[in-house]
Amino acid sequence: MSQTKQYELPDLAAMDAFGAQLAEVLRPEDVIELEGGLGAGKTTLARAIIAALGYEQEVPSPTFTIIETYDAPPLRVPVVHADFYRLNDPAEVEEIGLDDYREGAAMIAEWPDHAGGFAHEPACLSILLETAGSGRIAIARAGADWLGRMP
């Protein structure tokens, strides 16, 4: 069973507010998949979530490092921010030890399809970001564990 909702994000303030709403209900072991083309706002939304969880410094894009980790505290929930864009094969997630990073942490995954995807997991919230004028539209599909928690 899943649920789909659409959110209008006309500007950066709306993106930040949406990220804060997601951060408020985020739990360890959750996955937020961020999908969309280059420039769709995946990293912007990831930064909004991590900031709302209590991270006060700049959040670098993990495009080159692939994985950035954030501990609790200062965050309310530990987070793994992953950008799988540079993976050529989903099997590479084992080589980088993704399961070890994920233990006890929530994961925000950009380009999840490059890692084989996570939508099959009950604690996965998949968000497709599309440009709409100068803003964005977020189409969220919730796994079973997200039902009743979606903003």
Side-chain angles (χ1 to χ4, degrees), residues 58-121:
E58 185 170 331
V59 175
S61 170
T63 300
F64 295 105
T65 57
I66 301 178
I67 291 177
E68 293 285 339
T69 59
Y70 300 90
D71 296 329
L75 271 62
R76 185 181 64 75
V77 173
V79 171
V80 173
H81 180 197
D83 183 334
F84 298 116
Y85 183 76
R86 295 184 24 209
L87 297 187
N88 296 314
D89 186 315
E92 291 179 70
V93 297
E94 285 184 41
E95 292 174 29
I96 60 176
L98 181 62
D99 288 345
D100 294 334
Y101 287 106
R102 288 186 62 187
E103 193 170 323
M107 180 171 69
I108 302 169
E110 299 184 44
W111 300 97
D113 55 316
H114 290 226
F118 304 92
H120 62 280
E121 297 182 17

Side-chain angles (χ1 to χ4, degrees), residues 1-150:
M1 182 172 181
S2 67
Q3 177 182 16
T4 302
K5 285 187 180 179
Q6 184 168 308
Y7 303 87
E8 304 283 331
L9 306 172
D11 53 30
L12 193 55
M15 182 79 83
D16 287 346
F18 184 52
Q21 290 175 324
L22 292 170
E24 196 172 298
V25 297
L26 192 67
R27 300 176 185 159
E29 311 298 331
D30 280 346
V31 177
I32 297 178
E33 285 189 330
L34 299 178
E35 302 172 278
L38 290 171
K42 296 179 295 295
T43 302
T44 302
L45 181 54
R47 286 176 173 146
I49 295 166
I50 293 166
L53 286 169
Y55 194 73
E56 295 179 0
Q57 299 173 40
E58 185 170 331
V59 175
S61 170
T63 300
F64 295 105
T65 57
I66 301 178
I67 291 177
E68 293 285 339
T69 59
Y70 300 90
D71 296 329
L75 271 62
R76 185 181 64 75
V77 173
V79 171
V80 173
H81 180 197
D83 183 334
F84 298 116
Y85 183 76
R86 295 184 24 209
L87 297 187
N88 296 314
D89 186 315
E92 291 179 70
V93 297
E94 285 184 41
E95 292 174 29
I96 60 176
L98 181 62
D99 288 345
D100 294 334
Y101 287 106
R102 288 186 62 187
E103 193 170 323
M107 180 171 69
I108 302 169
E110 299 184 44
W111 300 97
D113 55 316
H114 290 226
F118 304 92
H120 62 280
E121 297 182 17
C124 184
L125 177 66
S126 298
I127 300 173
L128 173 62
L129 292 166
E130 298 179 342
T131 55
S134 62
R136 303 290 184 269
I137 293 173
I139 301 163
R141 291 181 322 276
D145 289 358
W146 277 88
L147 298 179
R149 281 198 290 150
M150 284 180 68

